[in-house]
């Protein structure tokens, strides 16, 4: 998939945008469109952000092309999640590109965050940003990295991060209020892949199961049979998937259990309008969850 250039001048972000574009910008390269949006909001007109995996991409199984390696080589700052989401960026660096460029792993080392287990023993689930308060911690890390890479605009990065975090705090409160409208007995999720455990922990939802243990891996018949039993036992109303993944597996689960399929959630990547920002992604998903579970 071709790299996606996120033009920060188009983003409605930060008061500094009105003071005219600076003559040169900090070239930041990241792994997903979700992080590109966070970086654009903190960096404003002082950064140019490129996401290697485009909108609607499967970030877990993305493989950088030679042109992506060149994009990485030209970066002044590299931003990824870590925890197994996007380790292909590190492999690209190991293969020769950008070996001296600062690299930030947003999901690794967050203060006072208890990580949840990943699909394989000894791994952690990477999808921390689906809890909006953790996304605020990502913003802190992004601001620190931008200030370190471009000290001349440190005060602008601080003020743009502060403005953005106010919006995210408002978003977090809105998510809580809207989830509270779902009857408590219905606050149960079955997902295509395990992207929502931090969201669920933050907002009081139970994850009954996931259709695949990891994207790109087919579940065993025994695994799927156990999931069907769990869905029936919990009385799950809807099975959720994401637009970038095939629906045959969740369709099969739905026909076995009587649950309906909602196949247009977003988590690892942004999508088509209106899901063109992190805030829009969270708002979209919460709207779908409330509509399907109420
Ligand atoms: Zn994921």
């Amino acid at each position: 998939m071709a790299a996606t250039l996120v033009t920060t001048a188009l983003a409605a972000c930060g008061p500094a945008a009105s003071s005219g574009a600076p003559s040169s910008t900090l070239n930041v390269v990241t792994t997903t469109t979700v992080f590109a949006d966070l970086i654009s909001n903190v960096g404003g007109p002082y950064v140019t952000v490129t996401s290697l995996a485009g909108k609607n991409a499967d970030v877990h199984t993305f493989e950088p092309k030679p042109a992506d390696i060149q994009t990485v080589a030209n970066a002044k700052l590299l931003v990824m999640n870590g925890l197994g989401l996007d380790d292909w960026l590190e492999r690209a660096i190991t293969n020769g590109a950008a070996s001296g460029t600062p690299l930030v792993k947003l999901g690794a080392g967050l203060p006072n965050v208890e990580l949840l287990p990943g699909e394989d023993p000894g791994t952690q689930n990477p999808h921390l940003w689906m809890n909006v308060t953790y996304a605020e911690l990502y913003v802190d890390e992004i601001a620190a990295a931008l200030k370190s890479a471009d000290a001349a605009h440190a005060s602008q990065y601080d003020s743009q991060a502060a403005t953005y975090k106010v919006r995210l705090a408002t978003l977090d409160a809105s998510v809580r209020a809207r989830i509270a409208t779902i009857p408590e007995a219905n606050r149960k999720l079955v997902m295509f892949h395990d992207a929502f455990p931090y969201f669920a922990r933050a907002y009081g939802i139970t994850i009954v199961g996931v259709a695949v243990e990891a994207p790109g891996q087919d579940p065993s018949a025994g695994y799927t049979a156990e999931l069907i039993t769990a869905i029936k036992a919990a009385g799950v109303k809807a099975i959720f998937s994401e637009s970038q993944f095939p629906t045959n597996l969740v369709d099969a689960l739905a026909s076995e259990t009587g649950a309906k399929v909602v196949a247009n959630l977003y988590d690892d990547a942004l999508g088509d309008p209106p899901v063109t920002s992190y805030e829009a992604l969270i708002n979209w998903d919460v709207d779908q969850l409330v509509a399907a579970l109420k």
Side-chain angles (χ1 to χ4, degrees):
M1 188 153 311
T4 301
L5 185 67
V6 177
T7 308
T8 56
L10 294 178
C13 56
S18 61
S19 63
S23 54
S24 73
T25 55
L26 184 70
N27 188 13
V28 184
V29 174
T30 189
T31 49
T32 97
T33 45
V34 174
F35 305 152
D37 181 55
L38 299 180
I39 296 162
S40 292
N41 274 285
V42 179
Y46 308 104
V47 302
T48 301
V49 189
T50 304
S51 173
L52 295 169
K55 66 179 182 180
N56 295 312
D58 179 349
V59 178
H60 293 264
T61 58
F62 181 82
E63 291 183 20
K65 307 278 187 297
D68 298 320
I69 306 293
Q70 190 57 47
T71 301
V72 170
N74 293 336
K76 290 290 183 285
L77 174 65
L78 294 163
V79 179
M80 62 186 284
N81 188 77
L83 303 176
L85 178 80
D86 47 11
D87 293 350
W88 41 264
L89 176 59
E90 276 191 298
R91 286 197 293 276
I93 296 167
T94 310
N95 288 341
S99 54
T101 307
L103 170 69
V104 180
K105 291 187 185 181
L106 296 171
L110 289 181
N112 305 314
V113 171
E114 185 197 342
L115 296 175
L116 293 166
E119 66 268 15
D120 294 321
T123 63
Q124 284 89 37
N125 190 293
H127 304 89
L128 290 150
W129 65 93
M130 295 303 293
N131 172 344
V132 178
T133 62
Y134 292 170
E136 291 178 51
L137 300 177
Y138 278 28
V139 166
D140 290 338
E141 292 185 278
I142 290 165
L146 292 178
K147 287 160 67 176
S148 174
D150 177 24
H153 298 111
S155 65
Q156 287 93 335
Y157 295 137
D158 274 337
S159 89
Q160 285 157 188
T163 301
Y164 187 42
K165 283 176 69 179
V166 169
R167 296 215 314 263
L168 294 182
T170 303
L171 176 64
D172 181 66
S174 164
V175 173
R176 286 174 198 287
R178 286 143 74 196
I179 295 294
T181 67
I182 301 171
E184 205 166 339
N186 295 352
R187 292 180 206 159
K188 295 170 186 164
L189 289 187
V190 173
M191 295 295 305
F192 176 77
H193 93 291
D194 198 11
F196 278 64
Y198 299 106
F199 179 97
R201 186 172 70 179
Y203 303 118
I205 291 173
T206 301
I207 304 279
V208 173
V210 293
V212 297
E213 292 172 272
Q217 294 176 21
D218 284 329
S220 68
Y223 177 89
T224 299
E226 276 183 35
L227 179 58
I228 288 168
T229 302
I231 291 169
K232 287 178 174 169
V236 171
K237 294 183 64 156
I239 300 170
F240 296 91
S241 185
E242 301 94 323
S243 55
Q244 71 267 35
F245 293 118
T247 61
N248 52 334
L249 201 51
V250 289
D251 287 341
L253 287 171
S255 71
E256 289 284 338
T257 61
K260 66 189 158 195
V261 171
V262 178
N264 60 350
L265 292 195
Y266 293 84
D267 37 48
D268 298 345
L270 301 180
D272 294 313
V275 190
T276 55
S277 71
Y278 169 74
E279 291 161 288
L281 179 156
I282 295 291
N283 277 320
W284 175 273
D285 282 359
V286 171
D287 283 347
Q288 309 313 312
L289 294 178
V290 170
L293 299 178
K294 228 171 171 176

